[in-house]
Amino acid sequence: QVQLVESGGGLVQAGGSLRLSCAASGIIFRINAMGWYRQAPGKQRDLVAVITSNGNTNYADSVKGRFTISRDNAKNTVYLQMNSLKPEDTAVYYCNAKATTRDYYDMPYWGKGTQVTVSS
């Protein structure tokens, strides 16, 4: 169906920056919303940021002013620019996309995740 591949995670010191990328592949008729979620050890998976095909964005309060989500619709790719990183941002970051294929309408898909570790 649809595959999402994340890249850009890694280890960074507090105050540093990382840029995550997620590319969707497959026979896709349309992608509606794309977003990033994160899950820290022992915690639930929470929304970080989401962007619609029209460019409307929504952010978790904890990342507002520090993170910026963007997308390239032609490439079916979403980005997450993370600045002023804090140790509490440490988590596995998952890409999510709601896509329509020939078999399913507006089905959510998940990437395998990429680790972001912020040292104090």
Side-chain angles (χ1 to χ4, degrees):
Q1 295 294 312
V2 177
Q3 290 187 329
L4 303 176
V5 180
E6 303 103 331
S7 62
L11 175 64
V12 66
Q13 287 188 316
S17 298
L18 287 173
R19 190 188 191 214
L20 305 183
S21 299
C22 173
S25 62
I27 304 176
I28 304 169
F29 292 166
R30 179 179 176 84
I31 295 179
N32 188 3
M34 300 187 76
W36 292 93
Y37 292 71
R38 67 186 181 187
Q39 187 169 20
K43 296 185 178 181
Q44 67 179 17
R45 186 176 300 183
D46 293 325
L47 176 72
V48 177
V50 64
I51 185 168
T52 70
S53 60
N54 294 326
N56 295 320
T57 59
N58 187 36
Y59 297 90
D61 288 340
S62 59
V63 306
K64 286 182 178 178
R66 300 188 297 120
F67 291 9
T68 302
I69 189 170
S70 61
R71 66 188 289 174
D72 185 335
N73 289 339
K75 297 181 179 180
N76 286 335
T77 299
V78 64
Y79 307 93
L80 186 67
Q81 179 66 46
M82 305 185 294
N83 298 326
S84 301
L85 283 163
K86 305 175 181 179
E88 60 219 61
D89 295 318
T90 295
V92 177
Y93 284 70
Y94 296 91
C95 179
N96 174 265
K98 297 186 70 175
T100 296
T101 66
R102 66 174 297 170
D103 296 319
Y104 298 101
Y105 175 78
D106 212 22
M107 178 72 68
Y109 295 89
W110 293 93
K112 294 181 179 179
T114 183
Q115 178 70 48
V116 172
T117 302
V118 184
S119 62
S120 60

